[in-house]
Amino acid sequence: MTRSEFVALLSALFTDRQQHEVDAAVHTIFQHLAQELGKGKRVELRGLGSFGTRQHTAHVGRNPRTGEAVKVGEKYVPYFRAGKELKERVNRRNHGMNQHCVSELPSLSEPH
Amino acid sequence: MGTITRADLVELLQKENGFSRQEAVDFLEQMLELFIQTLEREDSLKLSGFGTFGVRSKATRVGRNPLTGEEALISARCVPFFRPSRFLREEVNRKRKEKGTSA
């Protein structure tokens, strides 16, 4: 689903405002989150999860295609850690009910 | 350093988008619910300039209790993932590069 599809669905739920206002609000939120993560802040949204940055030290990596060694400088990497509710709902709903996910599972699975 | 929470986003929507407090609270509530529902349906969510959220299925595997070292079977499951966009990955490094000693 793209952002515009998400906004269309959201504006059907949130009828107080017009679609372009809903779009602007979604934009405000994610732009703000990106900015604050850029400043090194953490974001914690109960139910959804938390965002933050991790510092990766400089290391020698490899170009996966050529196998060549490449120096990778120290850098910050954004991460997302799913919250309890998101994890549980994604797993409950999909595992066992959704054919797509189940079809990807190897046949040896079973223990629950 | 402070952590951004729901309350900060409510304030932000009031300030930037002219929402009333109640509107902002409702909006966030509905947005986060739709967000979770989207992933529940195993659809991915692409937010340009931020990243992509999606669901991956994991096969059964043998794990270890980190506390006791005991082996345990971890059942197959679906887990949410996030892949930050190029923009976000750059944003996170942009300002801090300057002051650090980083290469």
Side-chain angles (χ1 to χ4, degrees):
Chain A
M1 186 183 299
T2 62
R3 213 186 86 122
S4 56
E5 291 168 319
F6 183 76
V7 166
L9 286 178
L10 183 56
S11 94
L13 294 170
F14 188 76
T15 46
D16 303 17
R17 297 275 174 165
Q18 294 186 338
Q19 186 159 331
H20 75 267
E21 293 174 295
V22 170
D23 186 67
V26 170
H27 185 241
T28 301
I29 289 172
F30 286 97
Q31 192 188 40
H32 183 72
L33 296 185
Q35 239 171 47
E36 296 300 304
L37 286 170
K39 291 183 200 158
K41 288 211 182 180
R42 247 174 73 80
V43 178
E44 226 175 279
L45 297 171
R46 184 75 43 83
L48 189 76
S50 58
F51 297 90
T53 50
R54 289 195 183 110
Q55 190 174 2
H56 284 203
T57 51
H59 64 275
V60 178
R62 256 168 215 292
N63 179 330
R65 194 164 305 164
T66 62
E68 224 175 310
V70 209
K71 273 188 203 156
V72 181
E74 177 188 271
K75 62 175 176 181
Y76 292 93
V77 179
Y79 72 84
F80 169 64
R81 189 165 183 270
K84 192 164 185 254
E85 188 188 346
L86 177 61
K87 266 199 226 165
E88 283 176 358
R89 285 178 61 183
V90 160
N91 193 41
R92 194 187 321 141
R93 180 66 186 279
N94 289 317
H95 194 69
M97 278 175 68
N98 186 302
Q99 309 91 316
H100 173 57
C101 190
V102 169
S103 67
E104 280 180 32
L105 302 175
S107 47
L108 61 139
S109 67
E110 260 341 285
H112 278 284
Chain B
M1 203 169 277
T3 297
I4 313 289
T5 61
R6 228 175 251 241
D8 297 301
L9 297 182
V10 165
E11 226 172 86
L12 181 77
L13 287 174
Q14 289 177 264
K15 213 170 62 187
E16 299 291 322
N17 296 73
F19 281 26
S20 71
R21 183 167 191 83
Q22 192 55 51
E23 266 184 317
V25 169
D26 293 346
F27 181 84
L28 263 184
E29 186 84 8
Q30 278 172 346
M31 191 189 86
L32 295 177
E33 177 59 27
L34 181 62
F35 198 115
I36 296 180
Q37 279 175 16
T38 303
L39 294 178
E40 250 182 336
R41 274 187 265 110
E42 219 188 321
D43 204 343
S44 64
L45 184 54
K46 268 185 219 164
L47 297 167
S48 55
F50 195 75
T52 303
F53 295 85
V55 178
R56 280 194 187 122
S57 56
K58 300 271 184 186
T60 306
R61 66 189 170 91
V62 178
R64 219 172 253 285
N65 181 330
L67 222 53
T68 63
E70 246 172 283
E71 281 193 354
L73 205 56
I74 299 174
S75 61
R77 64 192 60 213
C78 292
V79 294
F81 73 88
F82 170 60
R83 184 168 189 278
S85 70
R86 170 179 281 269
F87 171 79
L88 184 58
R89 279 182 281 143
E90 285 172 357
E91 183 74 5
V92 151
N93 283 290
R94 203 159 51 89
K95 283 160 199 150
R96 287 192 276 178
K97 270 279 166 72
E98 292 154 18
K99 56 183 177 186
T101 46
S102 41

